[in-house]
Amino acid sequence: MFDMDLQLFDDPAGESGGGTSGTGTASDSTGNAAEGVQGKQIVYLFRAFEDRATATGAVVAFTTENEHSISADGDSTATKDGALQKPGVVTVEITGTAIVLKGDDTLGEKLREACLKNKLVECWEADLSNPRSEGKYAGTYYQGYLTEWTKTSNAEDYAEYSYTFSANGTGAPDGGVGVTVSAEQQAIASYVFADTTATGA
């Protein structure tokens, strides 16, 4: 999709002692350094299951927001000692919003097609602040379906699309192996959209 050789982090392993670039550090009550993870370091890659033999997972370019939710709606029974909860089935949903890109072969359009045709989709969540090895990061693998795809536009802003990915089951953690995220994919994931107008700096 893009031909570039950019480094998202200067010190991905955190060997300099200052922590991974893009994280905030603070000391907790025990004196140990606690690091916060920036939102752009949690990335999601998608691929239609039918394309797994010929295509790699792709990062959604110009993402502005993601959300990962876990829910378990349950029933409650009134007892003399108070309500007794019966947990329901756990469901996992991943949502995102991104800028609409021109073209019929963009990932946004592929997600739209997957939603229209009920295609099985693969999804990887990767934490770029937690490297496992060279080019691999802590993450979780999911299979599921796009249950919602929405495009919004107005006269002043760029058009955006939002999607909802509903997972089958609860996903498979990487088990220490790591999710592969290439340098090119990291560069795409680090995009924060900006216009061409002067910023006043």
Side-chain angles (χ1 to χ4, degrees):
M1 184 184 298
F2 293 87
D3 183 16
M4 55 183 65
D5 183 16
L6 301 177
Q7 293 295 324
L8 185 59
F9 305 124
D10 293 331
D11 184 19
E15 295 175 355
S16 65
T20 304
S21 175
T23 61
T25 60
S27 295
D28 60 20
S29 59
T30 63
N32 296 323
E35 296 188 9
V37 178
Q38 287 194 353
K40 67 180 181 180
Q41 293 181 302
I42 305 297
V43 301
Y44 295 91
L45 301 90
F46 294 92
R47 177 177 65 191
F49 186 83
E50 65 185 17
D51 296 334
R52 65 185 340 215
T54 58
T56 59
V59 175
V60 180
F62 297 114
T63 293
T64 58
E65 184 178 43
N66 281 117
E67 181 177 307
H68 180 161
S69 63
I70 301 172
S71 60
D73 294 334
D75 296 324
S76 62
T77 301
T79 72
K80 294 180 179 180
D81 298 313
L84 180 64
Q85 298 293 332
K86 180 182 178 181
V89 177
V90 173
T91 59
V92 176
E93 285 190 340
I94 294 169
T95 63
T97 302
I99 302 296
V100 174
L101 300 180
K102 293 182 180 179
D104 296 329
D105 197 38
T106 64
L107 182 56
E109 284 302 307
K110 290 180 179 179
L111 294 177
R112 176 179 177 274
E113 181 184 13
C115 188
L116 281 172
K117 298 182 179 181
N118 292 322
K119 291 185 176 182
L120 182 63
V121 173
E122 296 175 291
C123 173
W124 294 263
E125 180 185 74
D127 182 357
L128 300 183
S129 73
N130 189 0
R132 298 294 198 199
S133 59
E134 183 66 29
K136 292 182 177 290
Y137 301 85
T140 305
Y141 170 72
Y142 302 93
Q143 290 182 7
Y145 294 90
L146 268 293
T147 55
E148 185 176 359
W149 193 96
T150 305
K151 182 186 291 184
T152 58
S153 58
N154 60 54
E156 297 180 353
D157 297 326
Y158 287 92
E160 293 183 330
Y161 68 92
S162 301
Y163 60 86
T164 299
F165 170 83
S166 297
N168 293 334
T170 57
D174 69 275
V177 176
V179 176
T180 300
V181 185
S182 68
E184 179 183 67
Q185 290 168 328
Q186 291 182 43
I188 294 171
S190 71
Y191 287 159
V192 176
F193 192 80
D195 204 352
T196 57
T197 55
T199 61

